[in-house]
Each structure stands twice: as structure tokens, then as C-alpha cells.
Short mmCIF file of all heavy atoms in Angstrom, two decimals:
data_model
loop_
_atom_site.label_atom_id
_atom_site.label_comp_id
_atom_site.label_asym_id
_atom_site.label_seq_id
_atom_site.Cartn_x
_atom_site.Cartn_y
_atom_site.Cartn_z
N THR A 1 179.33 -103.30 -105.93
CA THR A 1 179.71 -101.96 -106.32
C THR A 1 180.49 -101.24 -105.23
O THR A 1 181.54 -100.66 -105.50
CB THR A 1 178.46 -101.13 -106.69
OG1 THR A 1 177.84 -101.73 -107.82
CG2 THR A 1 178.81 -99.71 -107.02
N ILE A 2 180.01 -101.27 -104.01
CA ILE A 2 180.67 -100.52 -102.93
C ILE A 2 182.08 -101.05 -102.65
O ILE A 2 183.03 -100.26 -102.59
CB ILE A 2 179.80 -100.49 -101.66
CG1 ILE A 2 178.56 -99.65 -101.95
CG2 ILE A 2 180.57 -99.94 -100.47
CD1 ILE A 2 177.55 -99.63 -100.85
N PRO A 3 182.28 -102.37 -102.52
CA PRO A 3 183.66 -102.83 -102.33
C PRO A 3 184.57 -102.49 -103.51
O PRO A 3 185.73 -102.13 -103.32
CB PRO A 3 183.52 -104.35 -102.18
CG PRO A 3 182.13 -104.57 -101.75
CD PRO A 3 181.32 -103.47 -102.36
N ALA A 4 184.05 -102.57 -104.73
CA ALA A 4 184.86 -102.23 -105.89
C ALA A 4 185.23 -100.75 -105.90
O ALA A 4 186.36 -100.38 -106.24
CB ALA A 4 184.12 -102.59 -107.18
N MET A 5 184.29 -99.90 -105.51
CA MET A 5 184.58 -98.47 -105.44
C MET A 5 185.61 -98.17 -104.35
O MET A 5 186.46 -97.30 -104.52
CB MET A 5 183.29 -97.67 -105.20
CG MET A 5 182.34 -97.66 -106.36
SD MET A 5 183.05 -96.97 -107.85
CE MET A 5 183.21 -95.26 -107.37
N ARG A 6 185.55 -98.89 -103.23
CA ARG A 6 186.56 -98.70 -102.18
C ARG A 6 187.95 -99.05 -102.68
O ARG A 6 188.91 -98.32 -102.43
CB ARG A 6 186.22 -99.57 -100.97
CG ARG A 6 185.25 -98.96 -100.05
CD ARG A 6 185.21 -99.72 -98.73
NE ARG A 6 183.96 -99.42 -98.08
CZ ARG A 6 183.13 -100.32 -97.61
NH1 ARG A 6 183.41 -101.60 -97.69
NH2 ARG A 6 182.01 -99.94 -97.03
N VAL A 7 188.05 -100.17 -103.39
CA VAL A 7 189.34 -100.59 -103.92
C VAL A 7 189.86 -99.57 -104.92
O VAL A 7 191.03 -99.18 -104.89
CB VAL A 7 189.23 -101.99 -104.57
CG1 VAL A 7 190.47 -102.34 -105.36
CG2 VAL A 7 188.95 -103.03 -103.50
N LEU A 8 188.99 -99.10 -105.80
CA LEU A 8 189.38 -98.08 -106.79
C LEU A 8 189.80 -96.80 -106.09
O LEU A 8 190.81 -96.19 -106.43
CB LEU A 8 188.23 -97.82 -107.75
CG LEU A 8 188.45 -96.77 -108.83
CD1 LEU A 8 189.63 -97.15 -109.72
CD2 LEU A 8 187.19 -96.59 -109.66
N TYR A 9 189.04 -96.39 -105.10
CA TYR A 9 189.32 -95.17 -104.34
C TYR A 9 190.70 -95.24 -103.69
O TYR A 9 191.48 -94.29 -103.75
CB TYR A 9 188.22 -95.02 -103.29
CG TYR A 9 188.24 -93.77 -102.46
CD1 TYR A 9 187.70 -92.59 -102.95
CD2 TYR A 9 188.77 -93.76 -101.17
CE1 TYR A 9 187.69 -91.44 -102.18
CE2 TYR A 9 188.76 -92.63 -100.40
CZ TYR A 9 188.22 -91.46 -100.91
OH TYR A 9 188.22 -90.33 -100.16
N GLN A 10 191.03 -96.38 -103.10
CA GLN A 10 192.33 -96.55 -102.46
C GLN A 10 193.45 -96.66 -103.49
O GLN A 10 194.55 -96.14 -103.28
CB GLN A 10 192.32 -97.78 -101.57
CG GLN A 10 191.45 -97.62 -100.35
CD GLN A 10 191.27 -98.91 -99.59
OE1 GLN A 10 191.64 -99.99 -100.06
NE2 GLN A 10 190.68 -98.82 -98.40
N CYS A 11 193.18 -97.31 -104.60
CA CYS A 11 194.20 -97.51 -105.62
C CYS A 11 194.62 -96.20 -106.26
O CYS A 11 195.81 -95.97 -106.48
CB CYS A 11 193.67 -98.48 -106.68
SG CYS A 11 194.87 -98.86 -107.98
N ILE A 12 193.67 -95.33 -106.54
CA ILE A 12 194.04 -94.06 -107.19
C ILE A 12 194.47 -93.02 -106.17
O ILE A 12 194.89 -91.93 -106.54
CB ILE A 12 192.91 -93.49 -108.08
CG1 ILE A 12 191.69 -93.11 -107.26
CG2 ILE A 12 192.57 -94.44 -109.19
CD1 ILE A 12 190.64 -92.38 -108.06
N ASP A 13 194.38 -93.36 -104.88
CA ASP A 13 194.79 -92.47 -103.80
C ASP A 13 194.09 -91.11 -103.93
O ASP A 13 194.72 -90.06 -103.99
CB ASP A 13 196.31 -92.30 -103.81
CG ASP A 13 196.81 -91.66 -102.54
OD1 ASP A 13 196.17 -91.85 -101.48
OD2 ASP A 13 197.83 -90.95 -102.59
N PHE A 14 192.77 -91.18 -103.95
CA PHE A 14 191.95 -89.99 -104.15
C PHE A 14 191.62 -89.34 -102.82
O PHE A 14 191.19 -90.01 -101.88
CB PHE A 14 190.65 -90.37 -104.88
CG PHE A 14 189.71 -89.22 -105.08
CD1 PHE A 14 190.03 -88.18 -105.93
CD2 PHE A 14 188.50 -89.20 -104.41
CE1 PHE A 14 189.16 -87.13 -106.11
CE2 PHE A 14 187.61 -88.15 -104.60
CZ PHE A 14 187.95 -87.11 -105.45
N GLU A 15 191.83 -88.06 -102.73
CA GLU A 15 191.46 -87.28 -101.55
C GLU A 15 190.46 -86.22 -101.98
O GLU A 15 190.83 -85.23 -102.61
CB GLU A 15 192.71 -86.63 -100.93
CG GLU A 15 192.46 -85.98 -99.59
CD GLU A 15 192.01 -86.97 -98.52
OE1 GLU A 15 192.50 -88.10 -98.49
OE2 GLU A 15 191.13 -86.59 -97.72
N PRO A 16 189.17 -86.41 -101.67
CA PRO A 16 188.17 -85.44 -102.12
C PRO A 16 188.31 -84.10 -101.40
O PRO A 16 188.83 -84.03 -100.29
CB PRO A 16 186.84 -86.10 -101.78
CG PRO A 16 187.16 -87.01 -100.66
CD PRO A 16 188.58 -87.47 -100.89
N LEU A 17 187.84 -83.07 -102.07
CA LEU A 17 187.79 -81.75 -101.44
C LEU A 17 186.69 -81.77 -100.39
O LEU A 17 185.56 -82.17 -100.67
CB LEU A 17 187.49 -80.68 -102.50
CG LEU A 17 188.49 -80.56 -103.64
CD1 LEU A 17 187.94 -79.60 -104.70
CD2 LEU A 17 189.83 -80.09 -103.13
N ARG A 18 187.01 -81.36 -99.20
CA ARG A 18 186.04 -81.37 -98.11
C ARG A 18 185.21 -80.10 -98.15
O ARG A 18 185.71 -79.03 -98.48
CB ARG A 18 186.73 -81.47 -96.75
CG ARG A 18 187.58 -82.71 -96.60
CD ARG A 18 186.72 -83.92 -96.45
NE ARG A 18 187.58 -85.10 -96.35
CZ ARG A 18 187.15 -86.31 -96.51
NH1 ARG A 18 185.89 -86.53 -96.77
NH2 ARG A 18 187.97 -87.32 -96.40
N ASP A 19 183.94 -80.26 -97.81
CA ASP A 19 183.04 -79.12 -97.80
C ASP A 19 182.10 -79.26 -96.62
O ASP A 19 181.31 -80.21 -96.56
CB ASP A 19 182.24 -79.09 -99.11
CG ASP A 19 181.42 -77.83 -99.27
OD1 ASP A 19 181.63 -76.89 -98.49
OD2 ASP A 19 180.58 -77.80 -100.18
N PRO A 20 182.20 -78.35 -95.62
CA PRO A 20 181.31 -78.47 -94.47
C PRO A 20 179.84 -78.33 -94.85
O PRO A 20 178.98 -78.96 -94.25
CB PRO A 20 181.75 -77.33 -93.53
CG PRO A 20 182.60 -76.43 -94.36
CD PRO A 20 183.07 -77.20 -95.55
N GLU A 21 179.56 -77.53 -95.85
CA GLU A 21 178.21 -77.42 -96.38
C GLU A 21 178.15 -78.26 -97.64
O GLU A 21 179.09 -78.31 -98.40
CB GLU A 21 177.89 -75.96 -96.73
CG GLU A 21 177.99 -75.02 -95.57
CD GLU A 21 177.85 -73.58 -96.01
OE1 GLU A 21 177.53 -73.35 -97.19
OE2 GLU A 21 178.07 -72.70 -95.19
N PHE A 22 177.04 -78.93 -97.83
CA PHE A 22 176.91 -79.76 -99.03
C PHE A 22 176.75 -78.86 -100.25
O PHE A 22 175.80 -78.11 -100.36
CB PHE A 22 175.71 -80.70 -98.91
CG PHE A 22 175.56 -81.58 -100.12
CD1 PHE A 22 176.43 -82.63 -100.33
CD2 PHE A 22 174.57 -81.33 -101.05
CE1 PHE A 22 176.30 -83.43 -101.44
CE2 PHE A 22 174.44 -82.13 -102.17
CZ PHE A 22 175.30 -83.18 -102.35
N SER A 23 177.70 -78.95 -101.14
CA SER A 23 177.68 -78.13 -102.35
C SER A 23 177.66 -79.05 -103.56
O SER A 23 178.51 -79.93 -103.70
CB SER A 23 178.91 -77.24 -102.39
OG SER A 23 179.07 -76.66 -103.67
N GLN A 24 176.69 -78.84 -104.43
CA GLN A 24 176.61 -79.67 -105.63
C GLN A 24 177.79 -79.42 -106.56
O GLN A 24 178.26 -80.33 -107.23
CB GLN A 24 175.30 -79.42 -106.36
CG GLN A 24 174.11 -79.95 -105.60
CD GLN A 24 172.81 -79.72 -106.34
OE1 GLN A 24 172.76 -79.02 -107.33
NE2 GLN A 24 171.75 -80.32 -105.84
N LEU A 25 178.27 -78.19 -106.60
CA LEU A 25 179.44 -77.88 -107.45
C LEU A 25 180.69 -78.58 -106.92
O LEU A 25 181.50 -79.08 -107.70
CB LEU A 25 179.66 -76.38 -107.53
CG LEU A 25 178.57 -75.59 -108.25
CD1 LEU A 25 178.86 -74.11 -108.19
CD2 LEU A 25 178.44 -76.05 -109.69
#
């Protein structure tokens, strides 16, 4: 699962929104 998610993450060129505080939203 983890290697597959890494490949998918790189393929779609996803940049998550950063949050210094952990926010569920």
C-alpha cells in the first residue's frame, strides 16, 4: 500500500495544504 500510494502521489503531482496545527478539516 505505501509504495503504491507514493507512486500515485508522485504521478498526480499532489501538493497537500500545509497546516502547522493538525486540523481534521
